[in-house]
């Protein structure tokens, strides 16, 4: 086992309230299928939860994981306070303890926490598979969420300067092991 699946910020305050993110239900379903396959293959699943005053207050209803997201007892949890899932968290140490060498990343928000965590992971030496249809965001003034997802799939998978590869792969095409 060298991989881990990171599920970033799929929380009630971001997913369950209107307006919901782009393709919210489909994204959660893809994440559920992916994490089920990961567990079956012995791959750790890590749920990362953002916390901030207001709707994402630690322990509050909005901070909890989104309705419909399947979480199992063996899954790991990490709390964070910035878009970087590694900054001031236990994530790097947890991955080292588990012998993780590469990451599969999905979740919310494509242009913030997903993007920042992927770039940081690559800078730390982790090859990354971005789940191309397993991350989402809300529409913005400058672009729709669908466009933002497509932009990040293309942009992140074209970064070569970190060394480790970053590739965008559809959830159904991600393979574990071998």
């Amino acid at each position: 086992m060298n991989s881990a699946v990171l599920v970033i910020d799929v929380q009630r305050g971001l997913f369950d309230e209107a307006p919901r993110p782009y393709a919210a239900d489909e994204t959660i379903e893809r994440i559920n299928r992916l994490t089920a396959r990961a567990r079956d293959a012995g791959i750790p699943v890590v749920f990362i939860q953002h916390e901030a005053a207001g709707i994402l207050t630690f322990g509050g209803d909005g901070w909890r994981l989104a309705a419909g997201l399947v979480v199992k007892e063996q899954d790991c949890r990490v709390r964070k306070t910035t878009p970087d899932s590694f900054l001031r968290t236990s994530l790097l140490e947890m991955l080292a303890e588990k012998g993780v060498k590469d990451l599969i990343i999905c979740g919310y928000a494509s242009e913030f926490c997903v993007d920042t965590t992927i770039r940081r992971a690559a800078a730390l030496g982790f090859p990354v598979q971005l789940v191309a249809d397993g991350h989402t965001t809300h529409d913005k003034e400058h672009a729709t969420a669908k466009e933002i997802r497509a932009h990040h799939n293309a942009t992140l998978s074209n970064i070569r300067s970190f060394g480790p590869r970053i590739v965008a792969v559809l959830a159904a095409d991600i393979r574990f092991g071998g």
Side-chain angles (χ1 to χ4, degrees), residues 54-74:
I55 196 163
L56 296 178
T57 298
F58 172 70
D61 190 57
W63 178 81
R64 295 188 346 207
L65 293 170
L69 192 63
V70 176
V71 182
K72 299 293 184 178
E73 188 175 320
Q74 73 265 26

Side-chain angles (χ1 to χ4, degrees), residues 135-156:
H135 64 98
T136 190
T137 192
H138 283 85
D139 288 344
K140 303 297 186 288
E141 201 171 290
H142 69 283
T144 67
K146 182 178 181 179
E147 292 167 336
I148 293 168
R149 177 194 274 179
H151 171 81
H152 281 75
N153 287 341
T155 302
L156 290 169

